[in-house]
Amino acid sequence: MDKHQEFRQQVRQWLRDNCPVSMRTPAAEDEQIWGGRHIEFQSREQQQWFERMRDKGWFAPDWPIEYGGGGLDRKQAAILNQEMTRLQCRPPQLNLGIWMLGPVLLEFGSEAQKQEHLPRMARGEIRWCQGFSEPNAGSDLAGLQMKAESDGDDYIVNGAKIWTSYANKSDWIYALVRTDPKAAKHDGISLLLIDMTSPGIEAKPIELISGESHFCEVFFENVRVPKANLVGEVNGGWSVAKRLMQHERAAIANFGGESESPYVLHQLAKEYIGEHQGRIADPVIRDQVVSIDINEKAFALTLRRTMEEAKQGAGNGAATSIFKYCSTEQQKQKGELLLKILGNRALGWEGDDYSDQELAITRDWLQSKTLSIGGGTSEIQLNIIAKRVLGLPA
Amino acid sequence: MALVLSEEQRFLQDTAREFFQQQSPVSALRQLRDTRDAKGYDGDVWQQIVELGWNGMIFPEELGGLDFGFMGLGAVLEQAGHTLNSSPLLDSVVLAGSVVLLAGNDQQRRELIPALIEGRLRIALALDEDSHHNPATTALRASPRDNNYELNGQKRYVANGGNAEHLIVVARTSGEPGDQAGLSLFLVSANDIQKQASTRIDSRNCANLTFDQVTVSENALLGSAGGAFPVLDQALDRARICVSAEMLGSAQELLDRTVAYLKERNQFGVPIGSFQALQHRAAIMFAELELARSTVMAALEALDSKEATTEEVATLASLAKAKVGEVCQLISNEAIQLHGGIGVTDELEIGFFLKRLRVAEQSFGNTGFHRSRFATLNGY
């Protein structure tokens, strides 16, 4: 047995022994647990599972041990991931620090920043949010205007962020700010780490068409931030941001796969529309179910293929550029088809007329409209494919 | 097993790429078409394919094969798709050879498969009768007469039907058209059959066959009388997956050529590829093709896997054929539109790809057939 096979055996055994059975099913939206100062576990098993993974260092498996990680190499981390998928283990906690900021701090952060932030992230103690978009800087993100002006050892931050997920529940924010208003727009941006308890910050949830309100507007008025909290070079924030966005796109695509919608289209279609000789009674709906199923399957296979290509050093990774576009567009289409399948049963807003599942389908359909907008719209994704992969001229 | 080519398979892919580019560019197909070549393929190129050993890739060593697997064969066929190479490799060797391998007895295998591998024999599968592929609707009748069978009926759109020495005829020995039960396979010498060439848009060899009181011995049966459907479907799944690999190569070639054209064609003083309207269309083609590629790789992998069940292979075959068919529609139509006026001329090779892709899409079940089959296999 080579050392990776041996590692796989160990991981498999450890997960069997340590992952509670109730943590081996896909988590519903309200069963997901976010880290942070005010973490509240919903069950003993959920807490056990998180604490065991944390203590093993596997909450941040491929970070160095000195920063609280598990010290696994890439291959080992991939094995852990595969074995968790195999056993259907839930992620022990949802955490933007682990997915996005952590890897970027490892690459760009100062030693002091790594020591201050990484171990706390790896213990799931801090809930991070991401301050990128502004009221006048959406797809044209580099047009952002929130100012950070030098004042001794601090910056004074003024401006507003928007579409910041869970800003009202987060402990810290990593935000893009303008540190040089005179430079060309990509050249005057920096990344700042800001404690959300700093005086002068106000986060207000925005109510969406789905009734959800996890997106927030965040206002900064004369907020004082130590200069030591600037990540990377002053005015070098755009390259850090691009790296963050790569992690974000990967997380959104991955997350889409992980929180795979619990609805089995053909079962619902048979239930709501009827069946004839084993087939969905309405041939048009049947064919539309096929479309969604085929594309979901093709997408899952593409995730697998690119992972295997990366592992073997084959291919050029170009296919990863399609993840965000394909997964979010597919989820929107699935929402629309669920609406067709349920008909009037999908049009309820609240109350006893409708089952919990019906109400959830309605809300999910409305919520799915955000997917192809946040984290770089579908149109921005297509721009990226056209320019970076196909090499089409600007 | 992985959805990635091994080093050995990549080496084979490189060999195939070079071979088809040099020996069988699209211009060679144009020449076959313009000279109205009856065979529909280049005999010298075919001989070289035989010598390269590609015919033996999926057959066991005891029958003279290489046992190299479908992943490797798929890599070769994908490259054939890049230059629209036409040869009996898919229809005669892979499909008819698989029918013999899966349905035939020992003697039939030993007699026929080495001959196919060595290029001494071509066999055509005579299956479709109607405008659409659907094996269960077979109506051509085989009636027992003493120790013989008498065949009566029609076969249409038989690939290589005009030049194959033997035919495998799918016939009904019992039941009614629409029944999966009651189908049988007969190996028939092509000499005894009335043939009429059918000229199709892809310039390949294709024939309509008439069976008028054709008598065959019961020794001509491949497999059991009346029980051919499952094994036929299994052989067809191999062809469905392999033709999807070929189509994937053609679609990739179309995308590559189209993107190159977007960069070189200038209008309004700039390359047309700088227009966002066209960039997005190209990007969508790319995304769809990547999805299609994964389905083909997964289906080829399943054919090589010892663990995959027949039903899993069938589901992946329909997944691949349906997705690739849909994506080829998109890409061939967009390739023409994005080339503009030159795209609809016979001078440009884009039209050759369009024509071949539509024939390939109908072969062994079109997109609609496989979408429905995919649903049935998934229980709806």
Side-chain angles (χ1 to χ4, degrees):
Chain A
M1 205 184 316
D2 76 9
K3 71 178 189 347
H4 283 122
Q5 275 172 311
E6 202 171 311
F7 179 73
R8 189 183 290 280
Q9 297 298 339
Q10 288 166 3
V11 169
R12 192 172 295 178
Q13 192 55 46
W14 190 88
L15 289 173
R16 277 202 200 118
D17 295 344
N18 289 280
C19 183
V21 174
S22 61
M23 295 291 110
R24 298 185 198 177
T25 55
E29 180 108 19
D30 56 1
E31 289 176 325
Q32 291 170 349
I33 180 87
W34 291 83
R37 286 176 185 146
H38 309 288
I39 191 163
E40 276 173 35
F41 292 101
Q42 293 151 321
S43 70
R44 222 178 103 73
E45 284 90 3
Q46 194 180 43
Q47 182 163 6
Q48 276 176 342
W49 172 225
F50 167 67
E51 288 174 356
R52 287 171 184 167
M53 283 293 275
R54 177 195 67 192
D55 296 344
K56 186 85 179 165
W58 283 358
F59 187 41
D62 56 350
W63 295 7
I65 291 170
E66 51 181 314
Y67 301 126
L72 303 188
D73 63 28
R74 223 175 111 154
K75 175 113 196 199
Q76 289 171 322
I79 289 172
L80 172 60
N81 197 356
Q82 287 159 10
E83 291 302 318
M84 284 178 68
T85 311
R86 193 188 153 93
L87 210 62
Q88 288 193 296
C89 305
R90 292 181 187 180
Q93 191 187 80
L94 304 184
N95 194 304
L96 246 51
I98 299 292
W99 294 334
M100 287 157 62
L101 182 60
V104 167
L105 279 186
L106 280 168
E107 188 178 354
F108 295 96
S110 69
E111 189 52 40
Q113 287 166 349
K114 290 182 198 173
Q115 289 186 5
E116 180 184 355
H117 294 289
L118 293 177
R120 287 198 287 167
M121 276 180 208
R123 290 197 301 271
E125 290 169 1
I126 299 295
R127 184 163 182 176
W128 285 89
C129 62
Q130 169 173 291
F132 277 15
S133 295
E134 295 182 8
N136 289 313
S139 285
D140 181 16
L141 181 60
L144 60 93
Q145 291 162 0
M146 187 159 100
K147 281 185 303 191
E149 290 164 306
S150 175
D151 182 39
D153 288 339
D154 297 334
Y155 287 109
I156 307 294
V157 177
N158 277 290
K161 291 289 171 186
I162 194 167
W163 311 124
T164 309
S165 297
Y166 301 112
N168 54 336
K169 296 180 178 171
S170 293
D171 306 311
W172 280 71
I173 184 170
Y174 52 94
L176 291 174
V177 293
R178 186 154 300 283
T179 34
D180 183 354
K182 292 193 204 82
K185 70 177 183 180
H186 291 89
D187 298 336
I189 294 172
S190 302
L191 184 76
L192 266 190
L193 309 179
I194 306 174
D195 188 331
M196 288 294 279
T197 58
S198 315
I201 300 181
E202 188 192 5
K204 275 209 235 164
I206 302 166
E207 188 175 347
L208 301 185
I209 51 176
S210 60
E212 275 249 6
S213 47
H214 74 249
F215 288 118
C216 296
E217 239 179 321
V218 193
F219 301 96
F220 295 78
E221 201 186 336
N222 295 321
V223 178
R224 194 165 276 278
V225 181
K227 281 187 175 165
N229 287 5
L230 188 142
V231 180
E233 306 277 320
V234 179
N235 298 325
W238 189 247
S239 38
V240 185
K242 278 197 293 195
R243 187 57 54 91
L244 276 164
M245 286 184 276
Q246 283 174 6
H247 291 296
E248 179 176 30
R249 277 193 288 272
I252 288 174
N254 224 334
F255 199 34
E258 213 148 88
S259 64
E260 204 172 288
S261 101
Y263 313 120
V264 181
L265 288 172
H266 64 86
Q267 282 170 7
L268 288 167
K270 283 182 174 179
E271 186 184 333
Y272 282 85
I273 293 172
E275 63 182 294
H276 178 67
Q277 295 176 337
R279 293 184 175 193
I280 296 166
D282 180 337
V284 175
I285 293 287
R286 179 175 183 252
D287 194 57
Q288 290 173 346
V289 172
V290 171
S291 286
I292 304 286
D293 281 0
I294 281 184
N295 281 327
E296 275 189 355
K297 188 93 208 211
F299 182 70
L301 288 167
T302 305
L303 285 179
R304 199 188 125 200
R305 175 165 68 89
T306 48
M307 230 170 67
E308 289 170 352
E309 281 175 357
K311 240 186 316 188
Q312 299 195 9
N316 54 12
T320 56
S321 66
I322 73 169
F323 289 173
K324 207 250 162 188
Y325 171 75
C326 290
S327 69
T328 57
E329 292 296 327
Q330 286 177 14
Q331 287 177 72
K332 279 200 303 185
Q333 286 167 12
K334 186 168 185 177
E336 290 296 340
L337 182 54
L338 280 163
L339 215 66
K340 282 188 205 172
I341 288 171
L342 267 63
N344 278 315
R345 304 298 308 159
L347 301 181
W349 184 249
E350 59 191 10
D352 297 340
D353 269 0
Y354 304 91
S355 72
D356 288 348
Q357 180 177 264
E358 287 166 345
L359 291 172
I361 284 173
T362 311
R363 302 294 177 116
D364 287 353
W365 157 69
L366 287 164
Q367 191 64 20
S368 73
K369 303 299 179 199
T370 66
L371 299 173
S372 56
I373 299 171
T377 61
S378 283
E379 290 69 27
I380 292 288
Q381 304 305 319
L382 293 176
N383 284 352
I384 291 171
I385 297 171
K387 297 206 172 76
R388 300 213 193 121
V389 180
L390 301 179
L392 290 170
Chain B
M1 301 294 283
L3 302 183
V4 191
L5 296 184
S6 68
E7 208 178 315
E8 215 179 0
Q9 289 159 347
R10 276 208 297 276
F11 181 74
L12 175 65
Q13 184 185 41
D14 291 341
T15 308
R17 180 183 300 117
E18 203 174 310
F19 174 78
F20 289 119
Q21 277 174 2
Q22 286 175 4
Q23 303 301 321
S24 180
V26 182
S27 56
L29 172 63
R30 180 190 294 276
Q31 202 179 353
L32 286 173
R33 181 194 69 176
D34 292 348
T35 55
R36 297 185 168 268
D37 184 278
K39 256 192 344 290
Y41 65 87
D42 181 327
D44 292 338
V45 174
W46 173 233
Q47 196 48 45
Q48 292 179 60
I49 289 176
V50 171
E51 282 159 21
L52 282 162
W54 294 342
N55 282 358
M57 272 199 287
I58 59 160
F59 295 105
E61 287 172 14
E62 70 261 24
L63 293 172
L66 298 172
D67 222 349
F68 192 76
F70 280 90
M71 207 69 164
L73 177 66
V76 169
L77 286 168
E78 186 184 338
Q79 293 308 316
H82 271 271
T83 70
L84 298 177
N85 170 263
S86 155
S87 86
L89 177 58
L90 177 60
D91 295 298
S92 175
V93 181
V94 176
L95 176 56
S98 291
V99 174
V100 174
L101 183 74
L102 299 171
N105 60 34
D106 247 16
Q107 195 196 335
Q108 289 163 330
R109 287 184 199 165
R110 283 182 199 291
E111 190 182 317
L112 299 171
I113 288 179
L116 282 172
I117 293 174
E118 291 158 25
R120 289 184 276 117
L121 178 68
R122 288 162 300 181
I123 308 179
L125 179 72
L127 170 59
D128 294 347
E129 301 175 11
D130 209 343
S131 53
H132 291 78
H133 167 90
N134 190 351
T137 59
T138 295
L140 185 141
R141 197 52 80 171
S143 319
R145 296 271 186 278
D146 307 319
N147 291 334
N148 298 322
Y149 284 90
E150 185 184 289
L151 307 187
N152 283 292
Q154 292 259 334
K155 291 290 177 185
R156 292 211 176 106
Y157 324 113
V158 178
N160 282 309
N163 56 33
E165 289 84 5
H166 281 76
L167 302 165
I168 293 172
V169 182
V170 182
R172 182 164 290 289
T173 41
S174 63
E176 294 303 321
D179 298 344
Q180 291 185 353
L183 296 184
S184 307
L185 302 164
F186 293 93
L187 185 73
V188 182
S189 164
N191 293 331
D192 308 337
I193 315 300
Q194 297 172 41
K195 286 172 245 169
Q196 195 189 10
S198 162
T199 311
R200 301 221 284 183
I201 53 177
D202 67 347
S203 312
R204 295 196 180 191
N205 185 290
C206 181
N208 294 333
L209 312 175
T210 304
F211 295 78
D212 184 13
Q213 300 186 331
V214 175
T215 303
V216 294
S217 143
E218 66 179 6
N219 294 331
L221 258 178
L222 284 164
S224 68
F229 184 87
V231 77
L232 173 66
D233 215 26
Q234 210 181 330
L236 282 167
D237 277 332
R238 292 171 158 210
R240 287 160 179 154
I241 293 166
C242 288
V243 81
S244 299
E246 181 199 318
M247 292 166 80
L248 188 70
S250 300
Q252 182 71 58
E253 183 69 23
L254 278 177
L255 177 61
D256 294 347
R257 290 184 183 208
T258 303
V259 169
Y261 186 74
L262 291 176
K263 291 176 189 172
E264 76 188 33
R265 168 74 172 170
N266 284 288
Q267 287 288 277
F268 305 103
V270 291
I272 60 172
S274 63
F275 300 137
Q276 195 179 39
L278 305 192
Q279 289 183 344
H280 282 192
R281 288 163 70 170
I284 289 170
M285 287 157 66
F286 172 80
E288 288 292 323
L289 190 59
E290 288 298 316
L291 294 177
R293 175 173 299 282
S294 309
T295 65
V296 174
M297 300 294 272
L300 290 166
E301 180 196 44
L303 282 177
D304 285 337
S305 157
K306 286 179 181 60
E307 282 126 59
T309 64
T310 310
E311 185 166 315
E312 282 164 353
V313 171
T315 308
L316 285 167
S318 282
L319 173 75
K321 188 73 175 32
K323 184 66 193 173
V324 169
E326 171 203 323
V327 171
C328 286
Q329 282 264 343
L330 171 81
I331 291 184
S332 53
N333 289 337
E334 289 286 71
I336 289 187
Q337 179 65 21
L338 297 185
H339 275 85
I342 189 91
V344 287
T345 62
D346 185 62
E347 182 195 338
L348 200 74
E349 290 172 348
I350 297 294
F352 283 74
F353 285 89
L354 172 78
K355 290 168 178 171
R356 171 59 195 154
L357 281 174
R358 287 302 180 279
V359 174
E361 205 234 315
Q362 284 302 323
S363 303
F364 322 124
N366 64 16
T367 306
F369 175 88
H370 285 290
R371 290 170 70 88
S372 180
R373 185 170 180 255
F374 179 85
T376 303
L377 287 164
N378 280 291
Y380 62 95

